[in-house]
């Protein structure tokens, strides 16, 4: 009985730990705020990103860092992700806010 309970608890822990990775929560379309005509970023589960018509790749590093790579540039931001809002902070302190689109 104790081994069974331990197995169930371990399984729930792994399930919850795996769901909280930013990679799982970033997937979808995001608009740079404010503005109706602002740039739309689209993150796919396979590591692909699209910013307007520009395509590239994204990955995660340590300390919640998001790296986006396009043919013309590479950016690294500290990522703050809360429900329908995402904030990118560049090394120079400049912040970019995005909101999730439905």
């Amino acid at each position: 009985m104790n081994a069974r309970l331990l197995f169930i608890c371990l399984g729930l822990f792994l399930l919850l730990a795996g769901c909280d990775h930013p990679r799982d929560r970033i997937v979808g379309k995001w608009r740079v705020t404010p503005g109706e005509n602002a740039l739309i970023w689209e993150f796919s589960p396979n590591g692909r990103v699209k910013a307007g018509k520009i395509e590239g790749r994204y990955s995660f590093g340590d300390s919640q860092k998001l790296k986006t790579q396009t043919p013309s540039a590479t950016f690294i931001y500290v990522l703050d992700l809360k429900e329908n809002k995402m904030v990118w902070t560049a090394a120079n302190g400049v912040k970019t806010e995005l909101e999730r689109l439905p």
Side-chain angles (χ1 to χ4, degrees):
M1 174 93 169
N2 286 339
R4 185 176 177 188
L5 181 59
L6 179 63
F7 179 73
I8 291 171
C9 289
L10 180 61
L12 287 174
F13 173 77
L14 292 174
L15 179 65
L16 291 174
C19 292
D20 198 31
H21 194 282
R23 177 181 31 227
D24 300 326
R25 299 183 304 152
I26 200 173
V27 171
K29 291 184 179 182
W30 298 81
R31 178 177 52 211
V32 176
T33 57
E36 290 296 319
N37 296 323
L39 183 63
I40 305 294
W41 287 78
E42 184 173 2
F43 294 88
S44 299
N46 64 359
R48 298 253 181 224
V49 64
K50 191 173 181 183
K53 294 183 179 185
I54 300 171
E55 295 187 16
R57 299 199 53 77
Y58 72 94
S59 60
F60 292 93
D62 59 344
S63 302
Q64 299 287 56
K65 289 187 179 172
L66 170 67
K67 179 179 182 181
T68 59
Q69 297 173 283
T70 66
S72 59
T74 297
F75 302 99
I76 298 176
Y77 301 105
V78 174
L79 176 68
D80 183 17
L81 185 60
K82 294 180 181 155
E83 295 185 24
N84 294 327
K85 187 176 182 179
M86 178 167 36
V87 178
W88 298 341
T89 305
N92 63 3
V94 173
K95 293 186 180 198
T96 304
E97 293 187 14
L98 299 95
E99 64 182 356
R100 183 183 291 279
L101 295 176

